[in-house]
Amino acid sequence: MAMTLEEYHRLIPLPAPGGRTLFVKPGARGWKDPLYELAFRHVKPHGERALDLNPGVGWASLPLEGRMEVERLETSKAALRCLEKSGLRARPAPPWAAEEGAFDLAVLVLPAGRGTAYVEVSLRAAARALKPGGRLYLAGDKRKGFERYFKDARALLGYGTVLEREGPYRIALLEKENPAPPLPPLWQSFQAELLGRPFTFHHLPGVFSAGKVDPASKLLLSALLEELGPEEVRGKTFLDLGAGYGALTLPLAALGGVGVGVEDDLVSVLSLKRSLEENGLKAQALHSDADSDLTDEARFDIIVTNPPFHVGGAVILDVAQAFVSVAAARLRPGGRFFLVANPFLKYEPLLEEAFGAFRTLKVAAYKVLLAVKGGRP
């Protein structure tokens, strides 16, 4: 049975050491995660101000709470909702927004799932944020590049040692001896032709499919245009669930659709906004945990998604299940829901349960599924 939207959005209290309550939810990383557990066991106060650059729900830096002033920079709306409910200080910001030379201690659970560029800029952000003599706790997975990133961190900071090895998981402590390094260029762009029109996409480090439009999104657009045709998109309202930098949002807006792109990741939202502006297109870009930031009355004629199925590197379908539930709730009668996915992911039962029926439009390296609100697809 599919997860309901109420279940997805529920903030769950989790008793934590020290009499605190930490709130967690589906789709938010940083709990039931061995790297955060390892960091939690080793992180100790040092100085007055601490920085957590990848906090998730806040577990890794929780030992510092009440003993130091802790600032958390988080890009995930789902995680930010948990942090706020837990009463932990946090702001929506990427790691490179950290104040330079302001912190005695930094904590970084390596965001290896977001790619090398994002990890490297996170390491530089940590090095820049620390005062001379400041310390960095670095947690990572040997199978996901920890040894390389630890070497990079030592080159940036100076002294460093591994505190514990637990299976493939590692926690290291480094101390800043070197001058602060510069940040690399953050914005990148690339061109792609979609639905016969050229687009220039702009993106920051860490967004999905940076540098090229992924083939699954291309397949969805092809199937949608064969099903509806450009005239049926013009003037229609659309919702792009998990919009990224806009591989689906921009082409639909270019066809004349009136749309909203929602995205849990702030870095992707910033990328989507710039891509829309630079291409002279209009659509709303919302930092939202599924439909958390949509108005209650928001309804759409078309909903599209190329849903994520990873949270913190594990295959977890909570978010994708929530997207199916959002589509069922937010479509107008007769509205269409287009979903593209890897063939091995079993979304068909979810669509059957939520809509009563579905149709497979295309199958290549990916599959495109169609469901219609209140009617046969």
Side-chain angles (χ1 to χ4, degrees):
M1 184 174 181
M3 177 183 299
T4 66
L5 273 180
E6 182 182 359
E7 290 169 337
Y8 176 78
H9 285 305
R10 183 176 299 138
L11 299 176
I12 306 161
L14 182 72
R20 297 193 64 90
T21 299
L22 204 65
F23 283 85
V24 299
K25 71 174 296 294
R29 71 185 182 285
W31 65 295
K32 295 183 179 178
D33 185 313
L35 288 178
Y36 284 86
E37 295 283 350
L38 191 60
F40 176 85
R41 294 203 305 269
H42 283 273
V43 168
K44 293 179 175 58
H46 173 71
E48 297 179 354
R49 292 191 70 195
L51 173 69
D52 191 340
L53 288 166
N54 185 22
V57 299
W59 192 253
S61 55
L62 194 63
L64 308 176
E65 197 65 23
R67 304 166 74 182
M68 298 180 69
E69 178 187 335
V70 185
E71 179 168 325
R72 297 170 179 87
L73 304 186
E74 179 54 63
T75 63
S76 164
K77 188 60 177 281
L80 284 162
R81 294 176 65 201
C82 294
L83 291 166
E84 181 182 7
K85 183 69 172 177
S86 300
L88 300 177
R89 179 183 176 185
R91 65 185 175 102
W96 52 85
E99 183 182 354
E100 185 175 349
F103 298 93
D104 304 293
L105 179 67
V107 179
L108 177 59
V109 176
L110 286 169
R114 302 198 63 166
T116 300
Y118 192 84
V119 174
E120 288 178 348
V121 75
S122 297
L123 290 172
R124 285 180 174 264
R128 286 168 60 82
L130 288 171
K131 299 174 182 177
R135 295 177 180 176
L136 169 65
Y137 284 97
L138 189 68
D141 188 328
K142 181 181 179 181
R143 299 165 299 182
K144 298 179 182 178
F146 172 82
E147 301 299 340
R148 171 195 169 178
Y149 294 132
F150 176 51
K151 182 179 178 181
D152 291 345
R154 282 196 300 188
L156 289 169
L157 290 165
Y159 171 79
T161 186
V162 175
L163 299 177
E164 185 179 347
R165 296 173 173 85
E166 185 180 84
Y169 308 115
R170 306 286 188 266
I171 180 79
L173 179 62
L174 300 102
E175 187 168 314
K176 182 174 178 177
E177 300 174 335
N178 300 335
L183 288 174
L186 295 173
W187 282 102
Q188 303 289 331
S189 64
F190 68 95
Q191 293 185 327
E193 184 174 302
L194 298 169
L195 304 184
R197 171 173 173 155
F199 297 92
T200 300
F201 293 99
H202 298 262
H203 63 86
L204 291 161
V207 302
F208 170 70
S209 191
K212 62 179 180 180
V213 175
D214 66 292
S217 292
K218 291 181 178 180
L219 189 68
L220 186 151
L221 287 170
S222 171
L224 183 147
L225 205 60
E226 289 179 14
E227 182 71 20
L228 293 179
E231 294 300 321
E232 291 187 68
V233 177
R234 186 173 296 115
K236 294 293 195 301
T237 55
F238 74 85
L239 173 64
D240 183 357
L241 289 167
Y245 55 69
L248 300 178
T249 303
L250 268 67
L252 291 176
L255 288 174
V258 181
V260 181
V262 300
E263 174 59 61
D264 176 73
D265 173 46
L266 178 63
V267 173
S268 297
V269 174
L270 297 173
S271 302
L272 173 58
K273 286 181 177 180
R274 181 165 179 186
S275 293
L276 286 164
E277 290 167 2
E278 297 286 347
N279 286 272
L281 296 169
K282 291 186 178 180
Q284 193 175 4
L286 280 183
H287 191 206
S288 181
D289 177 17
D291 65 341
S292 67
D293 284 56
L294 292 173
T295 62
D296 289 342
E297 63 273 12
R299 296 294 183 272
F300 303 91
D301 301 305
I302 301 166
I303 297 181
V304 297
T305 189
N306 180 2
F309 60 94
H310 292 95
V311 175
V315 176
I316 298 175
L317 299 180
D318 290 351
V319 176
Q321 287 189 31
F323 283 3
V324 173
S325 297
V326 168
R330 297 282 184 171
L331 278 173
R332 293 191 174 100
R336 291 174 170 86
F337 177 44
F338 297 85
L339 180 149
V340 66
N342 287 296
F344 67 86
L345 296 172
K346 303 303 181 186
Y347 290 112
E348 290 85 349
L350 298 179
L351 294 176
E352 187 77 38
E353 180 182 342
F355 290 91
F358 70 91
R359 180 155 52 95
T360 302
L361 297 182
K362 282 181 178 286
V363 179
Y366 302 89
K367 61 185 176 186
V368 181
L369 307 175
L370 168 67
V372 177
K373 179 71 172 284
R376 302 295 297 181

